[in-house]
Amino acid sequence: MLAALRRARILEEVRRSGGARVTHLTTLLGVSDMTVRRDLEVLDRQGLLAKVHGGATAMETASAIEPGFEITSQRELREKEVIAARAATLVHPGMAVAITAGSTTWTLARHLFDVADLTVVTNSLKVAEVLHAQQRRDLTVVLTGGLRTPSDGLVGPIAVQAIRSLHVDLVFMGVQGVDERAGLTTPNLLEAETNRAFVDSTRRLVVLADHTKWGKVALAHIAPLSAVSTIITDDRLSSEAAEVLADQVAEVIVIPTGDDEG
C-alpha cells in the first residue's frame, strides 16, 4: 500500500473511532508498528491527528469541542510531567492554592504530596481524588461543587459562588488555548466563567500550558495574557511564541523535556 493511501486509512480510522492504538492499526493495515508510528508522526506534524503514547487521537478542530479527560491525559505526557514538576516548586508549606480542572493540573497534584500544611481549592474531581488518596491530616481539600464537564471539572453558578468567597496564594490553571490576541480560552462557556472566578481569587495566576496549546483559540475567553503572572511551558514552543509571551506575561518559564518525542 502506498504511504499516502495508508495514511488516509489511518486518518479515517482515527476520526471514525476518536482514536486508535498502534497495535490495532498494524493489524488493520498489515504493516509493522514502526511504519505505523512513522505515519502517525507525519500526520501529527500536519495537524491532522494528535499522536499520543501508544497511538493517536482525533484532532479537535472546532472551537466548541471539549475533549474528555481520558483523551487529554494521554497527550504530551513528558511535557506535562516536567511542567508539573516545575510548578510544584512554587508551592510552599502553609500555602492555600487553587488548581483548576485539566490533565496538566492533575499531573501537578501528584507532585504536591510532600508539601506540608497545604490547602487546595479545586473544581477538578480528578485532582481531588489524587489528593484525598493521601489521607493526610495536614492537607485540606476544598471541592467547589457544580456541574460536571467532559474533563471532570465542576463549573457553573455553584462553583463560581464558592470560589468568589475565597482568596488563595496561587492559582494553577490549565487551558485549551493560548493565543496572542484571544488570550486564555476554553471550549466550555461555564468553565470560562468558573476560571474567571479563579483569576479574581488570587494575585498570582500560574498557567500550565505545553507547546501544543499555543495558537489555539477555543470558544470562550477566560483572561488576556496580561492577567497571567507566570506561564510554564516546554522547550518545543517556538521562539516566536516565546517572544510574544515574554512581551505580555511577567514571567515565562520554559522547561527542557529531554525527549524529542514528547
Side-chain angles (χ1 to χ4, degrees):
M1 184 183 297
L2 294 175
L5 295 176
R6 188 175 63 243
R7 291 166 188 165
R9 183 70 180 90
I10 290 173
L11 192 58
E12 177 186 358
E13 183 67 15
V14 169
R15 287 175 172 171
R16 182 185 67 82
S17 304
R21 300 192 65 82
V22 170
T23 51
H24 170 68
L25 294 172
T26 56
T27 302
L28 180 70
L29 300 170
V31 296
S32 70
D33 62 345
M34 289 300 297
T35 298
V36 169
R37 291 179 191 278
R38 285 195 295 268
D39 287 341
L40 293 180
E41 289 172 1
V42 171
L43 293 169
D44 180 86
R45 287 196 299 269
Q46 293 173 342
L48 298 174
L49 52 69
K51 184 173 175 287
V52 300
H53 182 69
T57 59
M59 184 69 72
E60 301 82 30
T61 55
S63 63
I65 292 178
E66 181 177 5
F69 181 84
E70 295 304 320
I71 292 177
T72 60
S73 63
Q74 293 301 310
R75 294 177 176 172
E76 287 71 51
L77 298 180
R78 178 59 181 165
E79 287 88 339
K80 289 173 181 175
E81 187 66 26
V82 297
I83 289 170
R86 180 63 177 86
T89 66
L90 303 179
V91 183
H92 306 297
M95 275 189 167
V97 303
I99 302 178
T100 72
S103 55
T104 309
T105 49
W106 169 72
T107 305
L108 166 63
R110 295 188 281 111
H111 284 270
L112 299 179
F113 296 159
D114 296 328
V115 182
D117 300 317
L118 183 63
T119 298
V120 176
V121 180
T122 186
N123 69 325
S124 168
L125 293 169
K126 295 294 186 181
V127 168
E129 287 175 2
V130 168
L131 297 175
H132 276 304
Q134 295 303 299
Q135 297 184 342
R136 287 171 41 192
R137 293 184 178 180
D138 66 339
L139 173 62
T140 300
V141 180
V142 180
L143 189 59
T144 64
L147 302 172
R148 189 172 184 170
T149 71
S151 59
D152 283 337
L154 299 176
V155 300
I158 293 174
V160 169
Q161 183 176 0
I163 296 163
R164 284 181 175 165
S165 67
L166 302 171
H167 300 280
V168 295
D169 298 304
L170 294 172
V171 169
F172 292 101
M173 183 173 291
V175 294
Q176 182 75 4
V178 181
D179 182 76
E180 180 177 5
R181 294 185 178 179
L184 311 178
T185 58
T186 174
N188 191 303
L189 291 168
L190 290 178
E191 185 171 43
E193 182 184 14
T194 304
N195 281 354
R196 284 195 291 271
F198 273 120
V199 173
D200 293 339
S201 74
T202 188
R203 292 182 178 179
R204 187 174 185 187
L205 172 61
V206 181
V207 172
L208 312 183
D210 67 73
H211 68 281
T212 66
K213 303 299 177 65
W214 178 255
K216 287 187 176 180
V217 178
L219 176 65
H221 173 75
I222 300 169
L225 291 181
S226 59
V228 180
S229 304
T230 303
I231 187 166
I232 306 178
T233 187
D234 63 86
D235 60 359
R236 296 179 68 186
L237 184 75
S238 70
S239 58
E240 292 81 6
E243 289 178 5
V244 171
L245 288 174
D247 286 339
Q248 298 194 44
V249 177
E251 180 181 32
V252 180
I253 300 175
V254 179
I255 309 299
T257 63
D259 184 352
D260 291 338
E261 294 298 318

